[in-house]
Amino acid sequence: MNRADGGSSRRGRPARRPEVKPVNLALQGGGAHGAFAWGVLDRLLEEDGIAFEGISATSAGAMNAVVCAHGLAAGGREGARRALREFWQQIARSACLSPVQPSFFDRLTGNHALETSPAFFLFHMLTQVVSPYELNPFNYNPLHDVLERVVDFERLRRSPQVKLFLSATNVRSGKIRVFENHEMCAAVVLASACLPFIFQAVEIDGEHYWDGGYMGNPALFPLIYRCEQSDIVVVHINPIARPDVPRTAADILNRINEISFNSSLMREVRAVEFLNRLVEAGHAPAPDIRQVRLHAIEADDVMQHLGAASKLNADWTFLTDLFAIGRRRANAWLLDDFPKVGLQSSIDIQGRYL
């Protein structure tokens, strides 16, 4: 897919503007692995033929979502691309890096120095026995300052260019809470990304919230019921399948987390497929129920080689490597699957999720 090269064709007639296909985005969370979704967004924002109606997101996906929406409101597509790059640059500058920061390619070839470094081992052990209320009594979160510097939340609430749905988990009730544009603030984003072993629960209007990935990573139902478009593009961060059975304690814990954070998405996709079959058979439970077309952009073959510790790796080289992979996977999706938007799902729902 390419944009028109200029304002007129070789015959002197105005160049035809590409047909715009609106889609909804579903952005998973995954710490520093969210840089992959940054690359996906950066490539999609280059295309005049695609537009975003709604974005449902969790954790790192929520950060990508609000930064992208802020950039669109402040400066259009290029503004969104600039804002996303600035955000991830700020993350790299603000992160407390461990003494050992392996390159991306070291990790792909089996260098697990980060997981075995004394600093990471000590940090991991501390989070198992000491709560964040003891380990971080002043509740310092460097992401708060980064978000406040990069995102104009007042503008985002006042003049939204895209519908936002950020998920968090209510600690007391165990229910999902979906925050929308008029509620956007740094606390909402931090609530969606609040890992309970690292950060204190985020209080909003008297309720306390943890990471939204426990109940929706990300939630699809807001895009189905609150948006007009029927096409949802899921940007995967956590691998659904792995070829090998984990053997080490770290790998076992990582796989448990992957399964847990994918479970809500898997359940929702099953429900979507069930409704799609009812609609196709003419037995829709309500007249406003429509078929949902699902698409996916992923790099499971890459993410399978990255351990849990790399989600805390904010080294700029690591982030930009994931960014580049995200751009390439988004480009491949645009070439192979984007023509199916508006017509049919571009993934095998049965084979991938059911």
Side-chain angles (χ1 to χ4, degrees), residues 61-125:
M63 296 184 188
N64 277 325
V66 295
V67 173
C68 179
H70 153 77
L72 286 170
R77 293 172 180 271
E78 289 304 313
R81 295 181 67 204
R82 287 193 301 270
L84 284 163
R85 175 166 287 273
E86 179 187 359
F87 171 76
W88 285 100
Q89 287 175 333
Q90 294 272 359
I91 290 294
R93 294 192 192 106
S94 301
C96 297
L97 303 179
S98 78
V100 180
Q101 288 293 335
S103 74
F104 178 74
F105 297 103
D106 286 337
R107 303 198 56 75
L108 284 184
T109 55
N111 183 339
H112 295 282
L114 184 58
E115 271 108 344
T116 58
S117 70
F120 176 77
F121 180 76
L122 176 61
F123 174 75
H124 177 71
M125 292 300 296

Side-chain angles (χ1 to χ4, degrees), residues 1 18-23 44 47-52 231 233 295 330-344 346:
M1 296 179 59
E19 176 191 1
V20 177
K21 294 183 178 181
V23 301
L44 296 182
E47 293 297 328
D48 292 333
I50 190 170
F52 310 143
D231 290 270
V233 181
H295 314 271
N331 191 65
W333 181 82
L334 287 166
L335 292 171
D336 297 337
D337 294 331
F338 184 64
K340 299 175 184 176
V341 169
L343 301 174
Q344 64 186 75
S346 61

